DNA sequence: GGGTAGGCTGTGGTCCGACCACACGACGGA
DNA sequence: TCCGTCGTGTGGTCGGACCACAGCCTACCC
């Protein structure tokens, strides 16, 4: 058992027991080290891991916002895991695409049955109509749109995974834009497909929306010829 | 920009560029510190994060297996993220169950269309028939069974997520066993449901298998009355 | 008396140097 | 030829020190 794991187990146990809540603060690194009988570097390694896991946030200085604060940020760690494992080439891009299709088409089906509020989503589409958007700006809005769609289904885990998938592949998507025959034409098509998806949702046609989403995703990845 | 992030970016870049591969080794902590102009503690914090992300494994001593070697282990970090965020109570158990149903029923549908090799899965079921299994032993085999099912669909990302979900909730499932009216009777029912799922897969009935999987999961969670 | 500028204090961020435990591999003796 | 031993390089841990930062509190000045 390595020393820094003592801190991890301690924090997880206190979270599970309810003694640590979101917004609460960990004892100072020096105090924690003394409590557990380990050194401050060991504590710091553990805090780094917790930070990478999206469980704490650290800030220097003093005051209520300083120190090591408990947060709940599952998206950034998921994104980091996916990005790193994509980089190792042991996570095929095709599997990521397939997962996106599965999660997003499910979300569309689920969202349609909840007659959701589509105002925010439509506002995103309006912003994507603005002329002169760079591919990067367009895709950031596009990612927001897809994540918002996933959020409509009301499952925080699936929404978090979706957002992580989108963030993790953002760089790859941008790098593949030059593969497109005609970016402007592609953008026009993507906008139309988005409108179609929202229209199907508004009409309560979950099955139709799911099909459109799947076609939308598959279509783009085939056009961009993303690697593996 | 904190110093340890230099190491993270360096490693990710070298992975993406193919200069670091699975089985390869990072430079020693002292060497890495000198190369990047930072201290060894900073390097160690980064290595800890990479280890937590399932990208490297560290071992003391000398020889080919010692040092910091590149691995690809996406399951343990995903498990850790889920466990920690379940502990914060900001990830509802219901969402986890819903996600399991979605992923597993999809996997069953997909697997059925591939006429998979069911020998290994059946062997697991035989082991679960052994009398005198403790609830813990039973659920470990049960988890293996469900993960193996998900693996039949051939999507490494979904399989990894499934395995993480199972691992993350393992403790909660065990803790809920006393909630069951009659553990022995429950186990008999679970065994029968497993056999039914495998039979549907063997018959190529993906839709049927998907429905059985969904009912199987929902049934257990309702019987065990898992929290939120 | 009120307001402001300064220092005080406690936080994480970083670094250094040292020592330990470990395991392979080379060397030397039997 | 075999076996034990020592060397060497790895991560694991520690203590201590100093820095940057930000809120707070005091003391001074108006």
């Amino acid at each position: 058992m390595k020393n820094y794991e003592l801190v991890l187990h301690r924090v997880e146990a206190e979270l599970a027991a309810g003694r640590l809540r979101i917004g609460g603060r960990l004892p100072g690194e020096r105090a924690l080290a003394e409590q557990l009988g380990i050194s401050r570097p060991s504590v710091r390694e553990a805090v780094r891991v917790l930070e990478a896991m999206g469980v704490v946030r650290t800030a220097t200085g003093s005051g209520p916002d300083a120190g090591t604060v408990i947060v709940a940020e599952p998206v950034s760690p998921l994104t980091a895991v996916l990005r790193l494992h994509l980089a190792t080439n042991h996570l095929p891009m095709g599997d990521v695409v397939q997962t996106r299709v599965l999660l997003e088409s499910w979300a569309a089906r689920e969202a349609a049955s909840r007659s959701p509020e589509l105002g925010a989503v439509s506002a995103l589409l309006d912003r994507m109509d603005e002329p002169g958007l760079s591919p990067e700006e367009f895709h950031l809005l596009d990612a927001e749109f897809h994540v918002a769609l996933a959020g409509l289904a009301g499952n925080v885990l699936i929404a978090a995974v979706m957002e992580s998938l989108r963030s993790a592949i953002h760089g790859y998507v941008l790098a593949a834009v030059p593969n497109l025959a005609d970016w402007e034409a592609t953008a026009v098509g993507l906008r139309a497909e988005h409108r179609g998806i929202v229209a199907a949702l508004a009409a309560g046609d979950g099955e139709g929306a799911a099909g459109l989403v799947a076609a939308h995703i598959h279509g783009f990845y085939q056009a961009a010829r993303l690697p593996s």
Side-chain angles (χ1 to χ4, degrees), chain A:
Chain A
M1 167 80 78
K2 291 162 185 170
N3 273 350
Y4 80 97
E5 297 177 4
L6 290 175
V7 182
L8 298 184
H9 291 144
R10 161 78 153 259
V11 170
E12 182 174 354
E14 303 243 314
L15 282 173
R19 286 190 294 271
L20 275 180
R21 297 151 194 272
I22 312 285
R25 295 174 42 173
L26 247 53
E29 297 179 350
R30 296 161 179 85
L32 211 41
E34 194 176 355
Q35 284 178 31
L36 295 171
I38 60 180
S39 70
R40 195 178 158 212
S42 295
V43 171
R44 286 183 58 75
E45 291 176 13
V47 170
R48 280 283 185 262
V49 170
L50 291 171
E51 197 178 20
M53 294 292 195
V55 171
V56 304
R57 169 182 62 70
T58 62
T60 62
S62 73
D65 272 6
T68 305
V69 183
I70 309 289
V71 298
E73 175 51 67
V75 173
S76 50
L78 290 178
T79 302
V81 169
L82 290 173
R83 275 226 327 277
L84 283 168
H85 284 91
L86 275 173
T88 66
N89 268 310
H90 272 239
L91 180 53
M93 183 63 78
D95 285 9
V96 173
V97 175
Q98 190 175 42
T99 306
R100 275 196 63 190
V101 171
L102 171 61
L103 296 184
E104 292 201 49
S105 57
W106 171 85
R109 218 171 283 132
E110 184 78 11
S113 71
R114 299 172 149 234
S115 48
E117 177 50 55
L118 295 173
V121 172
S122 293
L124 277 171
L125 292 189
D126 292 341
R127 289 175 59 195
M128 295 177 78
D129 282 341
E130 206 169 297
L133 283 180
S134 71
E136 166 135 34
E137 291 167 327
F138 183 89
H139 274 112
L140 284 176
L141 288 170
D142 181 90
E144 252 189 272
F145 167 75
H146 283 270
V147 170
L149 274 190
L152 292 178
N155 183 311
V156 302
L157 174 56
I158 289 180
V161 172
M162 262 302 305
E163 188 171 348
S164 312
L165 288 172
R166 244 351 261 262
S167 306
I169 63 179
H170 182 248
Y172 293 85
V173 169
L174 276 189
V177 164
N179 294 351
L180 296 169
D182 180 349
W183 161 247
E184 281 302 334
T186 303
V188 169
L190 293 177
R191 289 191 189 97
E193 290 169 12
H194 289 163
R195 298 282 182 191
I197 292 167
V198 172
L201 284 182
D205 178 13
E207 211 50 52
L212 290 173
V213 165
H216 173 63
I217 299 173
H218 276 137
F220 179 78
Y221 281 98
Q222 277 170 21
R225 289 197 294 280
L226 280 190
S228 67

